[in-house]
Amino acid sequence: LDNESLMLTGDENIVDVMAELRRTMDSIQKTVLEPADLKFEIVYDESIYVGESITLVITNLLLGITIAVSILWWFFRDIRTTSIIAVCIPLTLLLTAVLLNQSGRTLNVISLASLALAAGLSLDSGIVVLENIYRKVKQSDGPIVATIYQATLEVRGALIASSLTTVAVFLPIVFIEDISAQLFSDLAIALSSAVAVSVLVAFFIIPS
């Protein structure tokens, strides 16, 4: 065979396809081609670029989380407070990844980049809720559980309104039917999900 090419159609994952292709080629190479003194040679493999891009995005995501937590500690100067808010990041990203999977989306360069952006957004709601709880607890002499509940309720409306405006910006992209929707629908779904999940985490996890 000379200059044969393989092109994907539909929604196939190029990394999985190339991995399976390599296994098949290795098997054919050993059983068929080597006895005939022939060999396969891959001239261009796009999965290598995709893998490197995903690795780069994941590295930047972890670096961004580390920097964000460091900045939180610098402002709060309290390990306990920083740890409570820092929990929002992995929890929000995990739940967002689950929502992406349930919606039939895969983790690719676009969706991973969206999660990197969501790492910062996930802190906003948690910081607002925790700061208001901290302020109310210092000012109140009543039962601490009731004070925490009241402090969370005070910012509920503002956080929901803020989150809905963010979702309203990104979510319409999902319903566009041209090329831009195919490119950015993962971005819209990931960011919208992350914002919604971060609010839920701030309301139900931070106060507890």
Side-chain angles (χ1 to χ4, degrees):
L1 297 178
D2 185 23
N3 295 329
E4 292 294 328
S5 62
L6 174 67
M7 299 185 66
L8 296 181
T9 59
D11 297 327
E12 292 88 354
N13 186 310
I14 188 170
V15 177
D16 293 338
V17 170
M18 289 304 300
E20 182 63 30
L21 179 62
R22 286 180 180 277
R23 286 192 291 269
T24 303
M25 288 175 59
D26 288 341
S27 176
I28 296 175
Q29 179 72 39
K30 293 176 181 178
T31 58
V32 178
L33 297 184
E34 282 186 359
D37 197 24
L38 299 172
K39 68 175 182 178
F40 279 124
E41 182 176 352
I42 298 178
V43 178
Y44 175 72
D45 184 357
E46 190 176 350
S47 66
I48 297 176
Y49 165 75
V50 173
E52 291 175 348
S53 299
I54 291 176
T55 301
L56 179 61
V57 172
I58 292 176
T59 301
N60 289 335
L61 173 60
L62 296 176
L63 180 61
I65 292 174
T66 303
I67 294 174
V69 172
S70 300
I71 292 174
L72 284 174
W73 179 85
W74 189 80
F75 275 103
F76 288 108
R77 298 300 175 92
D78 183 81
I79 295 296
R80 183 170 179 270
T81 303
T82 303
S83 299
I84 292 174
I85 298 180
V87 168
C88 293
I89 300 177
L91 191 56
T92 298
L93 296 182
L94 176 61
L95 293 175
T96 301
V98 171
L99 289 176
L100 284 173
N101 181 64
Q102 292 299 316
S103 64
R105 306 286 173 168
T106 59
L107 287 179
N108 49 49
V109 175
I110 298 295
S111 58
L112 284 173
S114 305
L115 291 178
L117 293 174
L121 295 175
S122 65
L123 295 175
D124 297 342
S125 300
I127 291 174
V128 171
V129 171
L130 187 60
E131 192 279 332
N132 199 50
I133 290 175
Y134 182 76
R135 181 173 59 86
K136 285 292 184 180
V137 168
K138 288 187 65 175
Q139 294 176 350
S140 175
D141 296 327
I144 188 169
V145 174
T147 302
I148 291 175
Y149 178 74
Q150 183 61 35
T152 304
L153 286 181
E154 285 184 0
V155 297
R156 181 180 60 181
L159 288 180
I160 291 176
S162 175
S163 300
L164 288 177
T165 56
T166 303
V167 171
V169 171
F170 291 103
L171 199 57
I173 299 175
V174 178
F175 303 102
I176 300 176
E177 297 182 354
D178 59 10
I179 297 298
S180 60
Q182 298 178 19
L183 291 174
F184 299 112
S185 58
D186 285 349
L187 173 70
I189 293 176
L191 287 179
S192 299
S193 300
V195 170
V197 168
S198 68
V199 173
L200 297 177
V201 170
F203 286 159
F204 296 106
I205 303 299
I206 297 295
S208 60

